[in-house]
Amino acid sequence: MKIAPKNNGFQRDIFWNTVYDYARTDPDIVIISADMGAPSLDRFRRDMPTQFVNVGIAEQNAIMLATGLVLTGKKVFTYAIAPFITLRCLEQIRVENAIMRTPITIVGVGAGFGYDDSGPTHHMIEDIAIMRAMPHIRIDSISDGTMAAHFAKISCAADKTITNYVRLDRQDQGSIYPDGTDFSRGLLLLRQEGDTCLVTTGSMTLTALAIADSLAKKGLRVGVMDLFNFPINESAFLETIRPFSRIITIEEHLLAGGLGSTVLEVVNDHQASISVHRFGISMDQGYCYKYGGREVIRQHYGLDKKTLLKKISTLV
């Protein structure tokens, strides 16, 4: 996989700018914001006022309104801080979107510790576990701007049949993928080296690549896989991990039900002969009130690059 050479901006802005471009020629695209703003959303409000609604601090209402509009033929996006647009209105999502299979796009910003300055109420470290527990919902765990643009385009499609939850990082994570990357399989192998593969998602993907670079300087070669769609594309995953004998999952998420749990389920269900070691947030560590930036919080959980590099070096 060729890595993109330049930084490509904030995922949120790239996502909404892409939707904006489609909405200019498609009046059925409607944005429902729950007390959230962004420069590209300001353009919606100014240029397409009939396609933009701000419901205020009322995320549950946003889901209900979105569902009703979809039933009239609209393509609807809801948007808010990630824990509020998912956990606060979980029953509405379960009934309207998972049970009734009404396809909306739920966009949450601040995956993981994206809102590092706002405390545990704003940290989103359970969403993969919770959202993947419901049928007919796909999680798009975004790693960079190129991927954000791709899933924005997919979300605008006329043949959309299920709800997708787009988890965006709040901070500029930098660029990984060049334009034109094929994301259709739901995962990509960024490095194919050695007998160990680091499997990660979202903001931890760049961390995993940096760890792989540091290990290479020590003569230790590891692969890196970005897994960005849940449920996992099981056949593609099993095919991709075949050259490896060990998987190490890295996630800015609770271990219970998250990326590592998903990988273990697939490995077990298919009786794949490969060992799995998980790095994430254990249940006994719980929530934290650490402030001082994202790296400080990651250090608290042992998920900073230095600590992970030391642990992974021992394993490989």
Side-chain angles (χ1 to χ4, degrees):
M1 166 63 63
K2 181 181 178 183
I3 306 301
K6 64 182 187 307
N7 190 301
N8 62 353
F10 289 91
Q11 297 173 13
R12 177 201 65 186
D13 296 334
I14 293 170
F15 183 91
W16 288 124
N17 286 337
T18 303
V19 175
Y20 175 90
D21 290 340
Y22 279 87
R24 289 300 298 266
T25 57
D26 187 348
D28 285 336
I29 292 176
V30 178
I31 313 301
I32 301 175
S33 175
D35 197 44
M36 289 290 288
S40 47
L41 293 182
D42 291 339
R43 292 201 296 159
F44 269 101
R45 188 164 36 239
R46 181 191 68 221
D47 300 339
M48 294 170 279
T50 61
Q51 293 171 249
F52 180 85
V53 180
N54 192 322
V55 296
I57 306 174
E59 292 84 359
Q60 295 167 333
N61 189 37
I63 298 297
M64 299 295 287
L65 178 58
T67 300
L69 287 171
V70 166
L71 293 174
T72 70
K74 301 297 183 181
K75 306 167 190 175
V76 190
F77 295 74
T78 63
Y79 175 59
I81 297 173
F84 308 148
I85 199 62
T86 54
L87 305 188
R88 183 171 289 171
C89 39
L90 190 59
E91 183 185 10
Q92 281 75 22
I93 294 170
R94 175 178 177 268
V95 174
E96 309 298 335
N97 311 124
I99 294 176
M100 293 177 60
R101 302 187 67 170
T102 310
I104 68 173
T105 296
I106 301 167
V107 184
V109 65
F113 301 123
Y115 280 90
D116 53 348
D117 55 352
S118 300
T121 57
H122 287 58
H123 297 165
M124 187 72 270
I125 58 174
E126 316 97 329
D127 55 336
I128 292 176
I130 292 170
M131 297 296 281
R132 80 178 184 92
M134 292 182 286
H136 312 130
I137 293 179
R138 187 189 72 229
I139 300 170
D140 304 323
S141 182
I142 307 301
S143 302
D144 82 339
T146 303
M147 188 185 293
H150 170 82
F151 284 105
K153 178 180 178 181
I154 295 297
S155 301
C156 292
D159 59 351
K160 180 173 155 63
T161 59
I162 65 169
T163 288
N164 60 314
Y165 163 50
V166 182
R167 63 191 308 263
L168 300 171
D169 206 279
R170 180 194 182 200
Q171 301 168 2
D172 184 354
Q173 293 296 320
S175 181
I176 300 173
Y177 297 104
D179 292 339
T181 299
D182 182 2
F183 296 106
S184 62
R185 297 179 51 182
L187 58 88
L188 283 167
L189 190 63
L190 302 176
R191 304 276 175 85
Q192 184 171 353
E193 301 179 274
D195 62 358
T196 298
C197 186
L198 309 181
V199 179
T200 186
T201 192
S203 67
M204 295 302 286
T205 303
L206 278 169
T207 299
L209 288 168
I211 290 171
D213 288 340
S214 296
L215 289 172
K217 293 177 182 177
K218 299 181 179 183
L220 301 172
R221 303 287 178 178
V222 297
V224 178
M225 178 193 296
D226 185 7
L227 206 165
F228 44 85
N229 279 158
F230 303 86
I232 292 177
N233 180 340
E234 295 187 8
S235 60
F237 177 76
L238 293 168
E239 175 189 347
T240 305
I241 64 168
R242 190 173 294 123
F244 302 101
S245 60
R246 181 191 295 112
I247 288 173
I248 299 174
T249 63
I250 306 172
E251 56 191 309
E252 199 177 72
H253 190 281
L254 285 168
L255 287 172
L259 167 69
S261 292
T262 311
V263 167
L264 281 170
E265 290 166 13
V266 176
V267 168
N268 178 76
D269 290 349
H270 293 271
Q271 299 182 340
S273 180
I274 188 168
S275 67
V276 179
H277 193 98
R278 300 182 298 158
F279 290 112
I281 303 167
S282 63
M283 296 297 281
D284 59 346
Q285 287 178 299
Y287 300 100
C288 81
Y289 288 84
K290 288 282 183 180
Y291 296 93
R294 199 169 195 165
E295 278 305 300
V296 171
I297 300 173
R298 285 183 173 181
Q299 287 170 11
H300 173 76
Y301 287 113
L303 293 174
D304 58 292
K305 178 190 171 185
K306 182 178 179 181
T307 303
L308 285 171
L309 180 60
K310 182 178 179 180
K311 293 177 179 178
I312 293 170
S313 295
T314 302
L315 288 173
V316 302

